[in-house]
Amino acid sequence: MSHETPATDRPLTTALAEAAGMAGHAPSVHNTQPWHWTVLPDALELRVVRERHLSALDPEGRLLVLSCGVALHHARVALAAEGWTPVVERLPDPGQPELLARLTGFKPTGSDPDAMRTVQCMQVRHTDRRPVSDEPVPTDVLGEIDRAATREGVNLQVLDDDQKIELAAAAQRAAAVEKGNPDLQEELAYWTSRAAAGTGLPPEVLPERAPQTTVPARDFGPGGTLPVGEGHDRAAVYGILWGTDDEPDSWLRAGEALSAAWLTATRHGVSVVPLSGVVEVESTRQTLRQMLSGLGFPYISMRLGLADPTHAGPPHTPRLEIAQTVDTSAVRDQLS
């Protein structure tokens, strides 16, 4: 197999290192960025970083693995933009549970213009927790977002008005449970004071007060400085990403689907806010299962809407240095 891509005439190892770096743009729960990449001469490996696991909020690691799945999809898209299609082995070694994925068998396929546009979306995507505009998301755009998730093997259920009310009630119950958990509150406080370390949620991305939203968002406590207008997100769409399994490989695929849906939404100017509180608390997670008619397991819920054009978007959250998340020591001599 040639290690040269017809699209760029650059070594495969360079594309792998750059894709791993681009994956650093991925969103993650509380911006923990719990991933680490190893670039090998003919493979790219993704490992979970247990030190950035939110053990109080996410004891079973669903959101930890889901966050890594978002990064995995980002890397796959970046490779497609460079003209490489890999074989993706998910959880390839039972003896190494921290090894979530190995990308191998790279075939040069020519750069993908659609993937190149999606890479641009990675760089502009952000999370805006304020109310969205009164303009509804076009039906055809919702369809595209749905299909993007489905291509990753995960379902997106868009909620009707009655289900929105159920979701709102479940979110309120989950918030009350989590408010009474001192370990979880301590963990939250830690990750909302980490901006200088390249992770976490700085005050400027957190609303200064609770926005008027149909489904209550997470209460991050005092300290947010993001101005919130008087709007109410009545036109917002709510959905649940779900699948038929509740195992680590399905959590990983859920993250890939969330990435695919979110980047598609970004391309169309649709704001996405993940709402994970309802899946963090067992009783409200079961409520979501009932909303899915018991057909499967909810991975995460989300709000979609068109951003309010009267507000500039919030700043991007900080990111770890690439050297902290990507190990290129095995290919250092081959990088160009």
Side-chain angles (χ1 to χ4, degrees):
M1 181 183 72
S2 169
H3 278 196
E4 300 295 322
T5 162
T8 62
D9 291 328
R10 293 193 302 163
L12 170 62
T13 48
T14 300
L16 296 180
E18 291 187 356
M22 187 60 63
H25 288 287
S28 54
V29 59
H30 290 4
N31 192 31
T32 47
Q33 301 166 59
W35 48 72
H36 189 270
W37 298 92
T38 304
V39 182
L40 301 171
D42 55 1
L44 181 62
E45 294 183 339
L46 169 63
R47 286 175 172 80
V48 65
V49 179
R50 299 287 176 188
E51 293 79 5
R52 296 202 283 275
H53 176 200
L54 302 172
S55 56
L57 175 145
D58 180 35
E60 292 175 315
R62 288 187 182 89
L63 296 173
L64 176 76
V65 175
L66 185 147
S67 295
C68 290
V70 180
L72 174 58
H73 180 264
H74 273 48
R76 287 171 45 208
V77 173
L79 285 166
E82 282 287 312
W84 293 102
T85 300
V87 174
V88 182
E89 302 171 356
R90 295 171 181 83
L91 302 173
D93 184 352
Q96 297 186 68
E98 78 284 356
L99 178 60
L100 296 183
R102 182 184 291 127
L103 282 63
T104 60
F106 293 91
K107 294 180 181 176
T109 50
S111 58
D112 180 343
D114 189 63
M116 292 170 75
R117 287 191 292 271
T118 305
V119 166
Q120 293 173 338
C121 292
M122 291 178 198
Q123 296 167 297
V124 301
R125 183 214 58 79
H126 59 270
T127 305
D128 190 342
R129 295 174 174 84
R130 296 172 295 184
V132 293
S133 74
D134 291 331
E135 187 178 345
V137 179
T139 303
D140 60 332
V141 172
L142 265 182
E144 279 197 46
I145 295 169
D146 183 4
R147 286 190 292 276
T150 302
R151 281 194 294 271
E152 299 301 323
V154 176
N155 305 292
L156 172 61
Q157 175 155 325
V158 174
L159 304 186
D160 62 29
D161 289 343
D162 289 342
Q163 291 172 324
K164 279 187 207 174
I165 294 168
E166 280 188 78
L167 179 65
Q172 285 179 319
R173 290 198 304 275
V177 170
E178 295 194 330
K179 197 77 172 172
N181 182 332
D183 292 339
L184 193 149
Q185 292 304 309
E186 182 181 340
E187 194 173 71
L188 181 63
Y190 177 83
W191 288 99
T192 51
S193 60
R194 293 277 299 162
T199 55
L201 301 168
E204 55 267 27
V205 305
L206 300 176
E208 62 185 2
R209 58 182 172 81
Q212 299 182 76
T213 56
T214 305
V215 177
R218 188 190 301 277
D219 179 3
F220 287 95
T225 60
L226 180 66
V228 177
E230 296 303 313
H232 191 296
D233 66 345
R234 293 179 186 86
V237 172
Y238 289 86
I240 299 171
L241 280 177
W242 66 278
T244 53
D245 294 305
D246 187 28
E247 300 295 336
D249 63 332
S250 54
W251 308 339
L252 192 66
R253 287 183 183 275
E256 294 175 86
L258 176 60
S259 172
W262 202 333
L263 294 173
T264 301
T266 299
R267 182 183 295 190
H268 291 284
V270 175
S271 166
V272 174
V273 178
L275 303 167
S276 60
V278 286
V279 297
E280 294 160 11
V281 174
E282 183 60 30
S283 61
T284 53
R285 210 165 69 85
Q286 291 304 320
T287 299
L288 264 58
R289 280 206 74 188
Q290 292 164 13
M291 290 168 65
L292 298 170
S293 304
L295 295 174
F297 298 91
Y299 301 132
I300 200 162
S301 60
M302 64 174 80
R303 185 196 77 178
L304 303 99
L306 298 180
D308 188 338
T310 62
H311 295 299
H316 291 268
T317 48
R319 286 295 182 268
L320 292 166
E321 297 289 334
I322 289 176
Q324 295 175 268
T325 60
V326 183
D327 178 5
T328 58
S329 57
V331 297
R332 196 158 286 140
D333 295 341
Q334 299 176 37
L335 296 178
S336 63

